[in-house]
Amino acid sequence: MSGGLRVTVTGGAGFIGSNLVSWLLRHPAIGQVTVVDDCSTGSMSLLGSDLADTDFRRGSVLDAGLLDQAVARADAVVHLAALPSVPRSVLDPLASHHANATGTLQVLEAARRAGGPLVVAASSSSVYGAQPSLPKSEDSLAMPLSPYAVTKLATEAYLGAYHACYALPVLPLRFFNVYGPRQQAGHPYAAVVPTWIDAALSGSAVTVHGDGTQTRDLTCVDTVCQVITTAITDRVTSPWPVNLALGTRTSLLDLIDLLGDVLGSPLRVEHTEPRPGDVTHSQADASRLLGLFPDATAVPLREGLTRTLAWHRERRAAAGARSGQAGQRTAVGSHARTS
Ligand SMILES: NC(=O)c1ccc[n+]([C@@H]2O[C@H](COP(=O)([O-])OP(=O)(O)OC[C@H]3O[C@@H](n4cnc5c(N)ncnc54)[C@H](O)[C@@H]3O)[C@@H](O)[C@H]2O)c1
């Protein structure tokens, strides 16, 4: 690649980051994509064939020297690297603080040293926490209920402060329950959509914490990538946080019904205790987003779930084919040994 905008993505080996890298590499205005990721929750394999087209730097955003190299010539930095889980932060608040809050500060310092590229960073709807108003407006009071939410509030506040103190161009985005292809199931902090798809494809019951009437503004990862790409190409900035969701509201019970429809058979459901720190209702007021990004479009939930399910099926088929080949190799190997 040559010419065009140079973009550094922290957390580019994660779910949202790897989708974003794909979007950026296919955009004619983007010339180079650098990724910084320590692969603590992400994996280089998520980048697939895109890995060969990126300047991949494995390491932590807490490493100032690594960041200087990765950010030096960037026109924009998209800061997604974080430990992205409420329950994880309840178990280990300091680890979340280091990765998420101190990590953001390190990225902002690297951007400042590099002469001030645009910094777009991921905050989270969890900052609204106990705030009862619906839909959630950026003007309402943030009332975080978990250490994770506090780290995200710190993230967006630091972006605002760097704009005020150093005139750094910034865009803090509050993501709301993002889902889509490449979101991993099978780990203790996995999000609800991949976990439920994985359970359903394995023939297991899906677990609902609480009664399932809690609601979420489910946002397809393609919408997130579209908005961030536009922010970079059109240089959209805001010192104040911006909700990145289109104002939809789906209960977990409705999500279960829709997933059953898309899968072709109803899901079996088990209810367990609510989780500490979880938010009951979440729906974005999208007016600030649409003021800045009039072309932002929501992928309909059924369409997004269909794309997500297709990715899970492909991944399972590929894993099945690999274990079949390994089985054949083992059979050949054992035959060779006994002959
Ligand atoms: N997925 C969602 O619904 C959602 C909602 C709100 C906010 N967010 C935020 O969006 C961002 C991306 O989330 P995701 O869902 O893609 O999660 P993810 O875990 O798939 O991606 C995070 C990436 O950051 C990397 N990382 C973690 N700590 C690092 C460090 N110290 N240095 C370098 N890399 C590090 C991980 O290896 C991973 O690749 C996060 O900041 C998260 O808090 C996500």
Side-chain angles (χ1 to χ4, degrees), residues 10-17 36-43 46 59-62 79-85 99-100 122-125 148 152 174-179 183-184 191:
T10 74
F15 154 52
I16 298 172
V36 176
D37 201 302
D38 66 358
C39 297
S40 51
T41 63
S43 161
L46 280 185
S60 173
V61 290
L62 296 168
H79 175 44
L80 302 173
L83 293 178
S85 155
N100 302 2
S123 179
S124 159
S125 60
Y148 169 75
K152 289 294 159 178
R174 287 182 181 167
F175 297 175
F176 282 62
N177 293 86
V178 187
Y179 73 94
Q183 192 172 27
Q184 313 265 25

Side-chain angles (χ1 to χ4, degrees), residues 5-25 30 32-37 61 67 70-82 103-104 106-108 110-111 116-123 152 155 159 168-175 221 223-236 244 293:
L5 295 167
R6 292 179 293 260
V7 183
T8 297
V9 182
T10 74
F15 154 52
I16 298 172
S18 62
N19 277 283
L20 179 66
V21 167
S22 279
W23 270 70
L24 294 174
L25 289 173
I30 308 296
Q32 191 188 337
V33 179
T34 299
V35 169
V36 176
D37 201 302
V61 290
L67 276 181
V71 171
R73 296 171 63 244
D75 298 293
V77 179
V78 183
H79 175 44
L80 302 173
T104 298
Q106 291 283 13
V107 168
L108 287 166
L118 168 67
V119 178
V120 181
S123 179
K152 289 294 159 178
T155 292
L159 261 68
L168 196 73
V170 296
L171 181 63
L173 295 169
R174 287 182 181 167
F175 297 175
V221 70
T223 302
V224 173
C225 293
Q226 180 206 9
V227 166
I228 294 177
T229 305
T230 304
I232 295 166
T233 56
D234 298 5
R235 215 169 165 81
V236 182
L244 205 181
F293 300 92

Side-chain angles (χ1 to χ4, degrees), residues 79-248:
H79 175 44
L80 302 173
L83 293 178
S85 155
V86 167
R88 182 198 292 262
S89 78
V90 174
L91 284 174
D92 190 350
L94 270 177
S96 293
H97 182 88
H98 289 318
N100 302 2
T102 311
T104 298
L105 196 52
Q106 291 283 13
V107 168
L108 287 166
E109 278 295 276
R112 190 157 77 96
R113 288 192 294 269
L118 168 67
V119 178
V120 181
S123 179
S124 159
S125 60
S126 64
V127 301
Y128 290 113
Q131 170 56 250
S133 63
L134 272 181
K136 307 290 184 196
S137 157
E138 298 91 338
D139 292 330
S140 61
L141 184 66
M143 302 169 76
L145 287 170
S146 66
Y148 169 75
V150 174
T151 68
K152 289 294 159 178
L153 196 55
T155 292
E156 57 188 44
Y158 270 131
L159 261 68
Y162 269 63
H163 174 76
C165 298
Y166 313 112
L168 196 73
V170 296
L171 181 63
L173 295 169
R174 287 182 181 167
F175 297 175
F176 282 62
N177 293 86
V178 187
Y179 73 94
R182 308 191 205 195
Q183 192 172 27
Q184 313 265 25
H187 62 92
Y189 307 114
V192 71
V193 170
T195 302
W196 287 357
I197 290 180
D198 199 53
L201 290 177
S202 309
S204 311
V206 303
T207 304
V208 177
H209 295 277
D211 64 5
T213 56
Q214 56 270 50
T215 55
R216 297 289 179 258
D217 198 338
L218 292 162
T219 313
C220 183
V221 70
D222 292 338
T223 302
V224 173
C225 293
Q226 180 206 9
V227 166
I228 294 177
T229 305
T230 304
I232 295 166
T233 56
D234 298 5
R235 215 169 165 81
V236 182
T237 66
S238 165
W240 311 116
V242 180
N243 289 338
L244 205 181
L246 274 300
T248 59

Side-chain angles (χ1 to χ4, degrees), residues 243-302:
N243 289 338
L244 205 181
L246 274 300
T248 59
R249 194 174 165 198
T250 307
S251 76
L252 296 186
L253 295 177
D254 287 344
L255 175 62
I256 286 171
D257 284 347
L258 190 53
L259 265 177
D261 262 16
V262 172
L263 277 153
S265 64
L267 274 58
R268 279 192 301 120
V269 182
E270 278 170 4
H271 290 268
T272 60
E273 288 302 300
R275 288 187 303 195
D278 264 358
V279 169
T280 311
H281 295 295
S282 187
Q283 179 192 21
D285 175 339
S287 39
R288 192 177 288 179
L289 177 79
L290 292 171
L292 291 169
F293 300 92
D295 297 333
T297 42
V299 176
L301 186 54
R302 177 180 290 273

